[in-house]
């Protein structure tokens, strides 16, 4: 036998054993023998690169490195699925689609909703050519090299497959593999992975495919796509299975809502013992013809729907409640729980949000509470088990005073949170505010971290953010962990922060309810701190997205002499309290009257009006002979257009308007 023949033989054997194992559930040889054959093949291939085959079974071990994953456009969009949560909602869906269909629908498939990362694979002449992640639905990343390492993804097909087609599936990491991976990480003092789903999608984006090969990923296939001649979804997946794809046996073909609900119930009971995670069931109209008639909405197919199971719940003991003070003084109660494992992570705490929530849940210390983890990181407490409430359980007395500065707490009408009003003196708030100020999203001051701020505060060097600008070398050098270099860094960082734009400074002040977006809006609209401080409630409310809560908070902030003093100090140190936009304002629209009409892409109507005024123009309310031009957005009314035409008044697009400026 020549070497070429031996290589061919080995490849065929290995493909066959793989097929037998994954599709026919037959163990024809031992793992050891399989590995021996694979090693022989690898050795021969290494010696004879002229026989390279991109779909050789040796691809499973990986080895290639991808630096940048290529972006690929999907031939057919990868849609989401609409969700239902109850039998009623499912029934409504069925009625809705039968109405569109114009006739009863009597055949469905039910599949599990595997919780992993979706993938689209292209096969040409029975060989895997490309595997692309879902991405944003229309474009994803080419992760072919990594996908080839997944053991149950067929690299070569057998049987009567079409010459070209796409197939979709979900790449999952079974729970056992996930736990083993985390044990290794913990042993190496690395942060454990959060859940199998994220770990699966992260595994697809590893640069070194041999690293992906070491993760026990699997792929479950759930849809063929392309121009194929199958009459039902069931038929197409049964075919796909025969070519070598893992189409889970849990898929069933059913004909009534009752049967579907029974399927859902059966799997709800069984899902806890599955070796991988599912988050529901997917119900699909079986007939391809009916699928085509039903079509798609912008986001999802009408012919399919998911039924989501309720998140996993566990009960555990509520040991105590502690209270955290935020930088704005808001108090958050936190439940300290007896540790339990929930959906793959150890849970020790849960947020209780506020006093009302505790009251609503009617909790006592010592209760066994139900915790639930949805998609979010912090678990929720859903209730308690009355049967396990002992006589000794303690009522939770919500604190009346700040756990830090001991000031009596307040509660603003209509707000859920208690807060510590001692803004000027409460250490946690002061430190928290300064930490917020230097943070990446605000002033982004290099050289000062959260710990440094706490240190500076406890050393009595800073009491508010303005004090940061007073810091001197000689004060810092004697401090612990402050080498010359760190001091230089810190001072340089503080100096550089004077260049940050007004909206960052405004956000950095940490005024309640003034987040990044609101700070930007306010800075843009009012242009300067002076204007903002003088603005009336009405003027503030007239700004997009600014409501009562923000107005009250701003007014409370600006009424404090300490805050005013701090802002004045900061201004004296050279921080910017004016938007560049105003400084750039011109007089190009002087003497001009401009009407703004329609909907705009980049700015709101009010922002555009403001820009006109800032640049010397007048905003007209309706089109007349006095109008200089109309700033016309999308869907401007036809009657207005006609009027402008009649009067010979030009229409200017949003883009042209910016160009004018
Ligand atoms: P969602 O992301 O919640 O909108 O659900 C859509 C996703 O569910 C798809 O992108 C698939 O990746 C995934 N999925 C898991 N199992 C199935 C299945 N049996 N049929 C269709 N989609 C599935
Ligand atoms: Zn306090």
């Amino acid at each position: 036998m020549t070497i070429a023949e031996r290589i061919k033989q080995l490849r065929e054997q290995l493909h066959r054993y793989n097929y037998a194992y994954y599709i026919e559930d037959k163990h024809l040889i031992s793992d050891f023998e399989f590995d021996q054959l694979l090693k022989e093949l690898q050795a021969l291939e290494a010696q004879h690169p002229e026989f390279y085959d991109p779909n050789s079974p040796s691809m499973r071990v990986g080895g290639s490195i991808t630096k940048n994953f290529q972006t690929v456009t999907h031939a057919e969009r990868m849609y989401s699925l609409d969700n239902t949560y109850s039998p009623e909602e499912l029934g409504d869906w069925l009625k809705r689609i039968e109405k569109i269909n114009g006739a009863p629908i009597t055949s469905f498939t039910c599949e599990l909703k595997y919780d992993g990362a979706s993938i689209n694979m292209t096969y040409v002449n029975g060989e895997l050519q490309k595997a692309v992640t879902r991405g944003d639905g229309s474009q994803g990343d080419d992760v072919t090299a990594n996908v080839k390492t997944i053991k149950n993804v067929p690299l070569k097909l057998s049987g009567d497959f079409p010459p070209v087609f796409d197939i979709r599936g979900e790449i999952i990491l079974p729970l056992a593999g996930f736990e083993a991976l985390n044990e290794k990480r913990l042993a190496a003092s690395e942060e454990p992975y959060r859940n199998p789903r994220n770990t699966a999608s992260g595994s697809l984006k590893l640069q070194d495919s041999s690293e992906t090969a070491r993760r026990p990923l699997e792929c479950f296939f759930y849809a063929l796509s392309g121009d194929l001649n199958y009459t039902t979804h069931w038929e197409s997946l049964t075919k796909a299975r025969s070519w070598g794809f893992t189409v889970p046996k849990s898929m069933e073909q059913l004909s009534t809502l009752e049967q579907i609900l029974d399927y859902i119930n059966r799997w709800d009971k069984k899902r806890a013992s599955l070796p991988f995670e599912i988050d529901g069931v997917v119900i699909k109209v079986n007939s391809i013809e009916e699928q085509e008639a039903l079509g798609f909405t912008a986001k999802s197919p009408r012919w399919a729907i998911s039924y989501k199971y309720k998140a996993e719940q566990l009960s555990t003991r509520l040991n105590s409640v502690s209270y955290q003070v935020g930088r704005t003084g808001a108090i958050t109660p936190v439940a300290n729980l007896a540790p339990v494992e929930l959906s793959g992570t150890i849970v020790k705490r849960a947020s209780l949000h506020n006093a009302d929530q505790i009251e609503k849940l009617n909790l006592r210390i010592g209760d066994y509470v139900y915790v639930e983890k949805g998609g979010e990181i912090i678990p929720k407490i859903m209730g308690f088990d009355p049967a396990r409430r002992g006589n000794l359980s303690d009522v939770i007395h919500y604190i009346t005073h700040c756990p830090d500065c001991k000031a009596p707490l307040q509660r603003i009408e209509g707000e859920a949170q208690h807060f510590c009003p001692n803004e000027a003196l409460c250490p946690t708030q002061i430190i928290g505010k300064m930490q917020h100020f230097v943070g990446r999203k605000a002033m982004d001051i290099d050289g000062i971290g959260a710990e440094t701020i706490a240190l500076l505060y406890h050393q009595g060097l800073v009491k508010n953010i303005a004090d940061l600008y007073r810091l001197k070398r000689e004060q810092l050098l004697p401090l612990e962990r402050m080498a010359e270099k760190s001091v230089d860094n810190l001072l340089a960082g503080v100096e550089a922060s004077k260049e940050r734009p007004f909206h960052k400074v405004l956000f950095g002040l940490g005024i309640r309810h003034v987040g990044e977006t609101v700070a930007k809006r306010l800075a843009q609209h009012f242009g300067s701190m002076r204007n903002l401080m003088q603005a009336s409630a009405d003027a503030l409310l007239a700004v997009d997205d600014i409501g009562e809560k923000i107005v009250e908070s701003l007014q409370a902030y600006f009424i404090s002499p300490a805050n005013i003093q701090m802002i004045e100090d900061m201004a004296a140190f050279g921080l910017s309290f004016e938007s560049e936009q105003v400084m750039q304002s011109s007089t190009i629209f002087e003497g001009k009257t401009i009407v703004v009409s329609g909907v705009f892409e980049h700015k709101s109507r009010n922002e555009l009006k403001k820009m006109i005024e800032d640049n010397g123009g007048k905003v007209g309310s309706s089109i007349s002979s006095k109008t200089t031009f109309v700033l016309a957005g999308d869907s401007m009314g036809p009657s207005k257009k006609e009027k402008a035409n009649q009067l010979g008044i030009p229409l200017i697009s949003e883009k042209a308007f910016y160009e004018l400026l």
Side-chain angles (χ1 to χ4, degrees):
M1 195 186 296
T2 65
I3 288 177
E5 280 164 354
R6 179 62 182 157
I7 289 180
K8 185 160 176 267
Q9 189 185 40
L10 283 167
R11 284 175 180 166
E12 278 167 6
Q13 272 180 345
L14 289 165
H15 281 308
R16 189 144 32 81
Y17 292 138
N18 235 26
Y19 184 91
Y21 185 81
Y22 286 106
I23 303 303
E24 299 171 336
D25 217 2
K26 280 189 212 143
H27 302 235
L28 298 182
I29 54 168
S30 70
D31 289 354
F32 176 76
E33 288 166 301
F34 189 91
D35 280 346
Q36 291 300 310
L37 294 175
L38 190 59
K39 283 210 181 103
E40 185 188 342
L41 175 63
Q42 274 178 285
L44 289 175
E45 285 180 344
Q47 284 160 19
H48 299 278
E50 68 272 26
F51 301 127
Y52 174 78
D53 172 0
N55 286 310
S56 163
S58 60
M59 289 293 153
R60 303 270 186 228
V61 295
S64 65
I65 307 282
T66 314
K67 278 266 176 320
N68 292 303
F69 295 97
Q70 218 83 47
T71 307
V72 176
T73 303
H74 296 297
E76 272 180 48
R77 199 188 148 81
M78 291 182 83
Y79 287 88
S80 313
L81 289 169
D82 279 341
N83 297 321
T84 54
Y85 299 89
S86 65
E88 291 71 40
E89 281 180 77
L90 196 59
D92 289 345
W93 169 73
L94 189 54
K95 276 190 217 127
R96 219 162 47 234
I97 61 167
E98 288 193 326
K99 199 166 157 206
I100 300 175
N101 190 48
I105 296 174
T106 54
S107 180
F108 303 89
T109 64
C110 283
E111 296 160 47
L112 301 181
K113 189 165 188 293
Y114 327 109
D115 203 7
S118 32
I119 194 90
N120 184 79
M121 304 189 198
T122 306
Y123 281 80
V124 177
N125 296 327
E127 296 196 10
L128 173 59
Q129 200 188 49
K130 233 183 198 44
V132 181
T133 63
R134 168 162 148 182
D136 64 2
S138 54
Q139 292 187 322
D141 291 319
D142 182 340
V143 292
T144 313
N146 286 340
V147 167
K148 281 185 182 169
T149 69
I150 300 174
K151 294 213 174 53
N152 78 329
V153 168
L155 300 176
K156 274 198 178 20
L157 307 178
S158 30
D160 57 344
F161 50 82
V164 183
F165 66 93
D166 278 12
I167 188 161
R168 291 178 176 174
E170 194 83 356
I171 291 172
I172 57 118
L173 180 61
L175 287 163
F178 174 70
E179 276 151 27
L181 210 58
N182 266 349
E183 265 167 39
K184 270 198 217 136
R185 288 185 72 87
L186 285 171
S189 302
E190 289 169 319
E191 186 79 8
Y193 292 119
R194 238 195 288 134
N195 58 48
R197 188 204 320 123
N198 293 352
T199 316
S201 51
S203 304
L204 295 182
K205 299 293 288 291
L206 294 170
Q207 296 195 335
D208 178 358
S209 60
S210 60
E211 185 56 41
T212 310
R214 276 194 277 279
R215 307 215 171 155
L217 301 165
E218 281 178 56
C219 187
F220 297 147
F221 292 87
Y222 58 72
L224 277 180
S225 82
D227 242 345
L228 306 171
N229 285 323
Y230 301 107
T231 47
T232 65
H233 178 63
W234 178 266
E235 184 195 352
S236 72
L237 284 189
T238 312
K239 276 286 181 194
R241 187 185 282 144
S242 76
W243 307 327
F245 295 103
T246 304
V247 175
K249 291 272 160 56
S250 51
M251 174 172 82
E252 288 181 35
Q253 201 174 12
L254 301 167
S255 44
T256 64
L257 178 62
E258 207 180 0
Q259 288 172 348
I260 294 171
L261 291 174
D262 175 60
Y263 180 94
I264 290 172
N265 286 333
R266 266 186 283 134
W267 281 103
D268 194 10
K269 291 198 191 90
K270 276 200 276 189
R271 72 190 165 112
S273 52
L274 279 171
F276 49 85
E277 287 194 325
I278 63 169
D279 63 343
V281 165
V282 185
I283 302 109
K284 297 173 187 169
V285 170
N286 198 13
S287 143
I288 304 289
E289 201 182 313
E290 281 171 350
Q291 284 189 4
E292 278 164 8
L294 290 165
F296 295 82
T297 67
K299 263 186 57 229
S300 42
R302 286 198 192 85
W303 44 264
I305 198 129
S306 76
Y307 184 97
K308 289 254 177 136
Y309 288 124
K310 290 216 176 62
E312 192 189 346
Q313 271 194 4
L314 273 177
S315 75
T316 186
R317 189 174 184 276
L318 172 61
N319 285 336
S320 63
V321 174
S322 46
Y323 299 85
Q324 290 175 347
V325 188
R327 65 175 164 81
T328 57
I331 307 288
T332 310
V334 176
N336 299 306
L337 307 166
V340 273
E341 193 182 324
L342 187 61
S343 323
T345 47
I346 303 289
V347 172
K348 291 183 218 145
R349 290 157 181 270
S351 170
L352 286 165
H353 304 289
N354 53 53
D356 288 348
Q357 182 73 6
I358 296 178
E359 204 164 302
K360 205 167 97 198
L361 292 169
N362 185 18
L363 298 180
R364 296 196 194 162
I365 306 293
D367 275 345
Y368 280 79
V369 293
Y370 296 112
V371 277
E372 178 177 307
K373 225 164 105 184
E376 61 286 332
I377 311 162
I378 303 168
K380 273 194 295 214
I381 292 187
M382 311 306 292
F384 69 94
D385 182 355
R388 295 178 79 182
R389 172 172 279 184
N391 297 327
L392 293 175
S393 51
D394 295 321
V395 175
I396 297 169
H397 296 287
Y398 203 84
I399 48 167
T400 53
H401 292 74
C402 175
D404 188 16
C405 72
K406 312 289 181 263
L409 298 182
Q410 289 187 357
R411 197 167 180 183
I412 295 180
E413 209 27 65
E415 285 193 25
Q417 227 94 10
H418 283 72
F419 72 96
C420 165
N422 194 13
E423 210 179 354
L425 295 171
C426 182
T428 318
Q429 287 188 62
I430 297 172
I431 294 174
K433 278 211 171 63
M434 288 194 281
Q435 289 171 338
H436 165 76
F437 182 76
V438 302
R440 213 167 41 80
K441 286 186 164 176
M443 300 298 275
D444 193 15
I445 302 187
D446 266 353
I448 310 192
E451 281 173 36
T452 312
I453 292 284
L455 177 72
L456 296 176
Y457 175 79
H458 291 301
Q459 294 293 325
L461 292 179
V462 292
K463 289 201 184 58
N464 66 29
I465 48 186
D467 290 341
L468 291 171
Y469 295 88
R470 290 183 230 273
L471 290 171
K472 302 253 162 7
R473 270 182 83 79
E474 331 51 285
Q475 298 175 301
L476 298 169
L477 280 171
L479 299 181
E480 221 180 304
R481 280 184 292 125
M482 278 287 183
E484 294 237 351
K485 191 137 182 260
S486 341
V487 172
D488 289 344
N489 267 347
L490 190 156
L491 292 173
V494 168
E495 191 57 33
S497 74
K498 293 179 181 170
E499 303 296 313
R500 301 279 181 272
F502 172 39
H503 68 91
K504 296 260 181 190
V505 182
L506 181 58
F507 171 60
L509 290 178
I511 303 171
R512 275 161 65 88
H513 306 308
V514 179
E516 260 182 304
T517 327
V518 169
K520 249 191 204 151
R521 276 243 188 284
L522 291 171
Q524 223 167 42
H525 191 93
F526 292 101
S528 70
M529 196 61 165
R530 179 174 309 272
N531 290 345
L532 176 62
M533 284 161 77
Q534 287 169 351
S536 66
D538 284 341
L540 288 166
L541 285 170
V543 184
D544 287 350
D545 297 336
I546 308 296
E548 302 272 356
K549 264 203 327 202
I550 298 173
V551 174
E552 273 169 32
S553 163
L554 284 166
Q555 289 180 331
Y557 190 88
F558 292 134
I559 218 169
S560 146
N563 289 338
I564 303 291
Q565 184 62 52
M566 187 181 78
I567 290 170
E568 280 174 7
D569 289 350
M570 287 165 72
F573 285 122
L575 277 98
S576 85
F577 282 104
E578 259 179 45
S579 285
E580 273 167 28
Q581 214 181 319
V582 168
M583 295 191 270
Q584 276 171 4
S585 73
S586 70
T587 51
I588 66 163
F589 294 145
E590 211 164 75
K592 301 196 161 92
T593 305
I594 300 160
V595 171
V596 182
S597 175
V599 181
F600 299 87
E601 199 181 338
H602 298 288
K603 294 213 185 298
S604 71
R605 250 202 309 255
N606 283 336
E607 283 167 347
L608 290 167
K609 288 179 181 169
K610 173 82 177 31
M611 284 170 79
I612 293 170
E613 285 167 355
D614 284 346
N615 289 284
K618 227 176 101 186
V619 176
S621 53
S622 63
I623 300 171
S624 73
S625 55
K626 295 208 186 77
T627 308
T628 316
F629 66 82
V630 179
L631 173 51
D634 282 346
S635 59
M636 169 181 170
S639 62
K640 283 193 184 163
K641 253 189 203 153
E642 207 183 293
K643 188 151 182 206
N645 263 342
Q646 277 173 3
L647 296 170
I649 292 165
L651 303 184
I652 302 274
S653 72
E654 188 181 3
K655 187 154 165 275
F657 177 76
Y658 298 139
E659 278 162 8
L660 278 178
L661 286 171

